[in-house]
Amino acid sequence: MTYPILITGASRGLGAALALQLAQKFHVIAVAKTAGGLEELDDRIQASGGQATLAPLDITDVNAVRHLCRSIHDRWGGLQIWAHCAIHAAPLSPANCIDSRDWDKSIKLNVTTTGMLIPNVAPLLHDNGKAIFFDDPCGGEKFFGSYGATKAAQIALAKSWQAETVKTSPKVEIITPAPMPTATRARFYPGEDRSALTSCDSEAARITTALDLFAQA
């Protein structure tokens, strides 16, 4: 039996591109806070012959996440892949000028929520299941204090889980995507020549091949 895949942060950017790519072989459960983005993604998935279940919810809400995971268990019995693409990209700022609200949002989504999602999603991943995290190594760079620190903390948590599951399951993958013309990157590099960047669709195809994700189907 092939279980569905779960993508958190699926409404745009790499998350949406991965959902479209993986919908060729899997049923996709697409999670994001923005219902409009999910509906646009669903149109693209259906046009390509795939199927998706849309879950417009706030993943920082532990009760909503628990309800989602229970629903996945009851309907499908588990997951094949979980790809965690959700991130809060706080504006660039000197460390001594970080806005407290952006700092709180960064910690809540990038760190606290990841720490809540792992124990809730992990029981759904079977012996050959995979959990995928996406690194963006800018911790310690000037003006990246809020985003860089919390992204580094997220990946440190993923690495611990990866080390803990070497001889068990699921297989935890951490990959660093190529620079893409995403909304997140545009906040950091607003004047950048976006034509020189790798498209999200191309990067999703590369990641799918590099991690041999279709072999899971």
Side-chain angles (χ1 to χ4, degrees):
M1 175 182 181
T2 300
Y3 297 99
I5 68 166
L6 173 67
I7 298 182
T8 41
S11 63
R12 60 184 180 179
L14 181 60
L18 276 172
L20 185 62
Q21 178 78 18
L22 293 172
Q24 297 175 36
K25 296 287 185 179
F26 299 93
H27 184 89
V28 174
I29 303 167
V31 177
K33 196 173 182 179
T34 308
L38 289 178
E39 290 168 359
E40 291 176 12
L41 171 64
D42 190 40
D43 289 342
R44 294 177 68 195
I45 288 175
Q46 290 191 41
S48 70
Q51 289 187 328
T53 295
L54 307 184
L57 59 87
D58 181 356
I59 61 169
T60 67
D61 183 341
V62 63
N63 290 323
V65 168
R66 287 171 178 165
H67 178 73
L68 173 67
C69 291
R70 180 68 195 191
S71 298
I72 291 170
H73 176 271
D74 291 346
R75 182 172 178 182
W76 291 285
L79 293 168
Q80 200 71 38
I81 298 167
W82 169 37
H84 186 40
C85 303
I87 197 75
H88 176 65
L92 297 181
S93 169
N96 63 327
C97 297
I98 291 174
D99 180 81
S100 61
R101 289 170 297 181
D102 274 320
W103 178 244
D104 289 343
K105 286 181 181 179
S106 297
I107 293 174
K108 186 174 184 179
L109 180 56
N110 302 349
V111 186
T112 304
T113 296
T114 303
M116 177 267 288
L117 284 168
I118 289 173
N120 278 283
V121 176
L124 296 171
L125 292 165
H126 292 272
D127 291 343
N128 63 339
K130 284 186 178 180
I132 308 169
F133 297 86
F134 302 92
D135 198 3
D136 189 2
C138 58
E141 294 186 11
K142 62 181 182 179
F143 309 126
F144 277 90
S146 184
Y147 174 76
T150 55
K151 185 63 178 177
Q154 180 191 79
I155 296 303
L157 178 58
K159 286 181 177 178
S160 290
W161 191 24
Q162 183 181 56
E164 293 153 5
T165 57
V166 168
K167 296 182 179 180
T168 56
S169 61
K171 185 172 179 60
V172 178
E173 303 277 10
I174 300 170
I175 193 164
T176 302
M180 297 169 288
T182 61
T184 295
R185 188 172 178 87
R187 298 194 75 178
F188 300 148
Y189 307 100
E192 185 176 40
D193 178 9
R194 293 166 71 84
S195 66
L197 304 176
T198 303
S199 73
C200 293
D201 289 339
S202 295
E203 189 60 10
R206 183 190 74 82
I207 290 169
T208 298
T209 300
L211 299 183
D212 202 17
L213 298 183
F214 283 154
Q216 303 285 110

